Amino acid sequence: MSTSPLPSSDPQAREDDAWPDSALRAAGPSDTGQPSLVDLIALADERALAASGLGCLDRCLPLLGDDDQVLRPLWVSLADGTAWEGALGEVRGVLGADGSGGAAASGASGVPGASGGSGADSDAVALARRMLDAVPAARSADSLRTWADGCSAAALQIHRLLDAGNDGVSPLVAAELRRQVRVLELLGGRVGTGGGLRQVLDVSTEGRRVLRAVVSRSRRSGAGAD
């Protein structure tokens, strides 16, 4: 099985951290010869890569807390070209970085096992946390491509972990794959830039709502088992 690394901006992060990748990313969304997700990431420009990685993180926000607008400074930076590094510092100040604070560190996600626990739910939280920790401080195409590729694999793995009861490719994982492809298609030059980014936000909002419902069910299930 192939792996997709998600290097962290934290110098203390382990260099050998990687997640199982999915063959789904290398296959086209259908049998019509359309580009695969891997192809789309390889061809994307800096702005599309930033939106791709940010969208993956945004859709996984329910694992890090209850504030759906916490990534807004980064989206604004992407939209108007303002300082990315400053926006990133603002977001990390709210969520905490490198496991030192924020919703995930305090267990505010409500996911069973999210704080000091074990199992699929805590693994999913750890993946979401590392997606945040690995956001590049500088918006360069090379750094963003590595991050976007890692976020793509991590987000699919998160959806797989939270839907472990399904064999094969679950509807939850398939829907996340479609959203990732859609984001890159929207910013691939076939639609207006502004309109594309607005639609990207709509795609991410939809995915976040779906995952929040999954997390909520997991929380209720865990509470019922206690």
Side-chain angles (χ1 to χ4, degrees):
M1 180 177 294
S2 63
T3 57
S4 178
L6 186 61
S8 172
S9 57
D10 174 13
Q12 301 301 316
R14 293 180 301 162
E15 294 183 356
D16 60 347
D17 280 335
W19 288 271
D21 202 350
S22 171
L24 289 172
R25 299 198 325 133
S30 68
D31 295 328
T32 62
Q34 294 177 333
S36 69
L37 179 55
V38 170
D39 293 334
L40 290 170
I41 291 173
L43 295 171
D45 63 14
E46 175 189 308
R47 195 165 185 269
L49 290 167
S52 176
L54 192 54
C56 288
L57 178 58
D58 201 339
R59 291 189 295 277
C60 294
L61 269 183
L63 292 164
L64 299 179
D66 296 327
D67 186 357
D68 286 346
Q69 299 300 314
V70 70
L71 296 181
R72 179 175 173 78
L74 286 171
W75 285 116
V76 170
S77 172
L78 188 58
D80 62 16
T82 54
W84 174 267
E85 187 173 4
L88 177 58
E90 185 178 345
V91 168
R92 284 179 170 163
V94 175
L95 287 176
D98 304 328
S100 61
S106 65
S109 69
V111 179
S115 181
S118 60
D121 292 326
S122 59
D123 289 344
V125 172
L127 281 169
R129 168 58 54 180
R130 286 179 54 205
M131 290 164 68
L132 172 65
D133 291 344
V135 181
R139 272 181 54 185
S140 69
D142 287 344
S143 61
L144 286 169
R145 198 176 315 279
T146 300
W147 177 61
D149 183 64
C151 285
S152 168
L156 287 169
Q157 179 71 347
I158 284 170
H159 285 72
R160 184 178 296 112
L161 287 167
L162 294 177
D163 201 18
N166 283 281
D167 295 329
V169 180
S170 72
L172 189 67
V173 174
E176 170 59 17
L177 178 64
R178 288 194 298 271
R179 291 185 185 102
Q180 291 189 23
V181 169
R182 180 61 175 156
V183 164
L184 288 163
E185 288 179 339
L186 284 168
L187 296 179
R190 288 188 290 277
V191 294
T193 302
L197 190 55
R198 285 193 295 272
Q199 291 178 67
V200 164
L201 286 168
D202 290 341
V203 169
S204 293
T205 297
E206 176 195 24
R208 187 174 63 244
R209 288 172 178 167
V210 169
L211 198 69
R212 190 170 294 286
V214 172
V215 168
S216 179
R217 285 196 300 270
S218 179
R219 180 176 59 213
R220 291 196 301 269
S221 176
D226 291 340

